[in-house]
Amino acid sequence: MKKRISHIVLATTLMVSILSACSGNAGTANPENGGSDQTKTLRFATWDTGDALKIEQDIAKKFEAEHPGTKVQVEAYADGFDQKLAAGFGAGNPPDVMYMWDFPTYHQSLEPLDSFAEKDKDLKIDDFYKGLFNYGKIDDKLYGIPAGFTTRVVYYNKKLFDAAGVPYPKDGWEWSDFQDIAKKLTDTSKKQYGFGARAENDTYDLQGFVWSNGGSFISPDGKTIEGYMNSKETAEAIQMFGDMVKDGTAVLTGGKGQQSGDDIFKGGKIAMWESGIWPLESFKQAGVDVGTVEIPAFPGKPVKGVLAESALSIAKDSKNKDLAWEFVKFYVSNESIKMRVADLPVRQSVVNELKKDQDPLYKPYYTMLERSDNTPAFLLNPKWNEVNRQLSAAVEAVMHGSNAQEALNQAVKDSERYLK
Amino acid sequence: MNIQWIRQLNKRIFSGSYRSIRTKLLFCFLIVTLIPLLSLGALSYYQSAKIINSQFGKYGENAVAQLEQQTSSSLGRMKQMSETIYSYLLDPAHTDLRNQAPISYSEIIEKNDFEALLKSLRTDQTAGIYIITPSGYYYGENNLDVAKLRNMPEWKTKPASYKGLYWLGFYMQNHAMSSSGDSNLPVLGLAVPIHNSNGTQNGSTILIEENAQELIHMFKLFETDTKSHLTIKASDGRIVYESASNFTKKDSDITWIRTLAVNQWTIEARLPAKAFYLSSGIIRSNTIVVAIISCLLAFGFAYLFSSRFTARIRTLKDSMQKVSFGKLDTRMPIEGRDELGSLDMSFNRMVSGVQSLVQEVEQSERLKKEAELKAFHYQINPHLLFNTLNSIQWKARLEGADDIRQMLYHLTMVLEGNLDISQELITVGRELRMIEHFLKIQEIRYGNVFSYELNCEDSLKQYLIPRMTLQPLFENIFFHGFTDGIGVIKLDVIVEKNELLLALRDNGAGMTEEKRERLLVPDPKRRGRGGLGVQNADQKFKLHFGPQYGLTVFSTKGEGTAIVIHWPKEEERPDGYSKEN
């Protein structure tokens, strides 16, 4: 009996020593941990490029300065973000911290942040705009801390309005006003158009218009698209843009052989352009006298907006979760938010301090924020990406002159199988 | 004048100093050091240059092979991609893909599917995949400006009727919709015209662009690494890529050529022979520098050593020369215990030997001269003497003093022998005859009171003896030995060991030991009678026969004296002169 016990003890100690040896080896073999314990490397993946990327690198450097012995490795995945991120998760070697928007796809690989957020008073969670957290939640678990957001507004070129003697649009306007203005500002001899319609729309962005018309892409429970994606209201909202292209008051942008809408707007060849905050800086830099106004309303219906949000998430496989959380917290601190001019601030205190919501150029974003409480389709159904392919094709066909109702019917028919 | 100067120099180098031991030593040292040094240097240069050149050659070969492999892999990937796309387009299931912008939902679905395929074909290296239709519509990413593309020189070179793969080569990807979108990325382009008379895509062109940054970087790396000039030529001779550097072909260039299996492009790396042999050249120049330095060192050391060495020989030579000029007190300082040192020592010994010999000769010469001078002093005109003695003799006969006449007669005989200086050496017989005359005189003088016993074989009488050596000894006996001439005199002449031995004994007064010792020592202060004759006799023997000969005197006070003389046997020569003369 005693012998057996001693054997067990021996075996256990052996196991422990072997395990500790193994883990020791793993620790030294892992290049992410660096050569010594002093320097830890934190990998941060972003889809940004250009100026936005530079700002992120500056924030990373600041973080390094405040946390000696830490190296933040900013990995700019740019257009290949989704593929590289998926590959990283697949290989079990993801970045520690990453930009995130597609929570339905990735949430299983992400670290739930509720416990971090609750524990950490420094985060001041109440300071964030309400509703931003909705986007980072799956099954009531928080997977991302909002880092930046934008709503969508209508940009207009004041110079073209002045030249045509058309008054600037004002909040509370309707789509009929929009179409009238577009018609007035179209001058085909100058290749100047009232509006720019995207040849290949992101259906996510179109949701604001669909919601404004009382339509939707999917049922509120996320299970049905029949009667939603091809509803009269949905088709109407999309058809409206197709019609504008057809009657020549809008020009197709961003398709094959077509310049992007941002570029055409900068070139002063379209009077109105609908987008988020992203191009604002470049419009200003291009010397366009630009104004912003909220999205027009359909008659008798409330205007709805859609929120584009970038959040920061921590990988489940990260080996430095505490440090990663420190970085996330630093990234959404007032100091960092002020540095990040390409996004709208996510904290009310920063907005108040900078009086952003009182600047006429920025105000529409915040009024649209108040109107962005609908849940986007992709959050309602994890198979949305498959459905979206058909929907995108239908929308594209509409922009090229197809009938919206027919195209959407066909798209619904083709997509039903993904939802079964 | 110049020629003369050179001739002089030549003379100095090759005739004068060439003969000196130092030059010989110098040359010897140089040859001994330089032959192994130079051959070792040459050998090591030859070997290392060979190894380096072959390694560099292999390195270049491998590097080009690597370039070939990288390029091939890019080209192969693109080719494969184009084949996939081509076969997709030939598939009748995809006839909805049109030659212009799709409009309907189904066309757009088809287009999206196709573009999804294109996207899935992309790799990290893919810079663009497009299918450009004749209408100007294209499939692929939305960033292509067809008008810009068609203006690109690389695109223009593509013949309209081309079938199969057309490699556009390397160019900048500058065909984006907006100029700000131009990536300025070096790409490798492949255009594949689609010939499918039934298909809707007939006349379209597949354009595949691959990021060539890495390839070009590799080319550049290769160029800087090997300093060679890289040219990639298509099979039709079109230059696809060429190094930026100025380069003129030379036949001596080292070339590495590879042909790509994929599309028959030839990669040609040319390296000027000068650059190729640069490294071995460095070794060569280093070897030469080292060899020169070693030569100088060897020369310097050889010079130092040989001059130290020859300096000693030269001093020896100079000393010998001095000795030959008569400076006999020349001595060599002895440096070191080597052969030269012992040579110096022997030289010194030899010179001191010579010096003492010369001193001896000088001494004997001086003595001879003194003796001659003395003889000269003693010389009296013999005629006057003899005539006078004759007159006295005749007077004595007339007076009837017969004993005086006899004395004079014997005296004349003695003087005759004494005064005849023409011969220094005379026979023993003649000397003995003279002694008999001398004894006759003494007999007349003292009466018959002494006895004389001669013991000499007749055969010994022919040998030579210095003139007037015995007479002074006899005179000494009568003056110092005997009182009133009474006593016994014995003279024995015998042969002993091929030498003559003469013993003259008397039973007279003898002499003290002190006197006997002083007898034969020449003393310039002692001028007087007694002993001078003995010394004179001794000197005569020594002068004629050598210092080892001469007189030995034995004496006991009151008992008598014995004088022993020994000298070599010498016979009178027929011409009447002894060997000495």
Side-chain angles (χ1 to χ4, degrees), chain B residues 149-166:
Chain B
L149 175 73
R150 285 184 175 155
N151 275 329
M152 279 176 38
E154 289 82 6
W155 187 259
K156 276 183 182 168
T157 56
K158 179 177 67 82
S161 59
Y162 200 83
K163 289 186 184 180
L165 308 171
Y166 186 82

Side-chain angles (χ1 to χ4, degrees), chain B residues 125 127 169-174 183-189 209-217 220 241:
Chain B
Q125 294 301 311
F170 295 93
Y171 56 89
M172 288 300 182
Q173 193 187 37
N174 287 338
S183 60
N184 264 318
L185 183 75
V187 291
L188 184 58
E209 288 173 343
E210 180 144 63
N211 185 345
Q213 221 164 7
E214 255 174 61
L215 271 183
I216 290 189
H217 179 67
K220 295 258 156 71
Y241 174 88

Side-chain angles (χ1 to χ4, degrees), chain B residues 65 67-83 162 164-167 188-190 192 210 215 232-235 258-267:
Chain B
L67 291 186
E68 180 214 358
Q69 204 216 330
Q70 292 283 333
T71 317
S72 285
S73 93
S74 275
L75 296 177
R77 216 164 28 228
M78 291 163 76
K79 189 184 165 199
Q80 212 168 13
M81 221 178 264
S82 74
E83 280 161 3
Y162 200 83
L165 308 171
Y166 186 82
W167 296 93
L188 184 58
L190 168 64
V192 186
E210 180 144 63
L215 271 183
I232 302 179
K233 273 187 193 161
S235 51
R258 288 254 168 179
T259 306
L260 298 179
V262 184
N263 59 355
Q264 306 305 310
W265 280 4
T266 49
I267 300 182

Side-chain angles (χ1 to χ4, degrees), chain A residues 66-111:
Chain A
E66 288 185 16
H67 294 76
T70 308
K71 164 123 187 53
V72 180
Q73 183 180 318
V74 179
E75 299 177 1
Y77 291 170
D79 288 344
F81 186 81
D82 268 324
Q83 291 100 303
K84 283 179 182 162
L85 195 63
F89 282 130
N93 184 28
D96 298 291
V97 180
M98 72 224 69
Y99 258 52
M100 181 53 64
W101 64 272
D102 193 355
F103 291 101
T105 306
Y106 292 110
H107 72 272
Q108 278 162 339
S109 304
L110 301 178
E111 178 74 13

Side-chain angles (χ1 to χ4, degrees), chain A residues 191-204:
Chain A
K191 287 194 172 175
Q192 178 188 311
Y193 302 92
F195 183 60
R198 292 181 178 81
E200 294 167 18
N201 275 286
D202 189 334
T203 61
Y204 182 88

Side-chain angles (χ1 to χ4, degrees), chain A residues 200 254 256 389 396 410 414, chain B residues 105 111 113 115 138 140 142:
Chain A
E200 294 167 18
K256 299 280 152 63
R389 291 187 62 226
E396 192 178 339
Q410 187 64 41
D414 289 350
Chain B
Y105 167 78
K111 176 205 81 171
D113 284 348
E115 288 187 342
Y138 66 92
N142 286 352

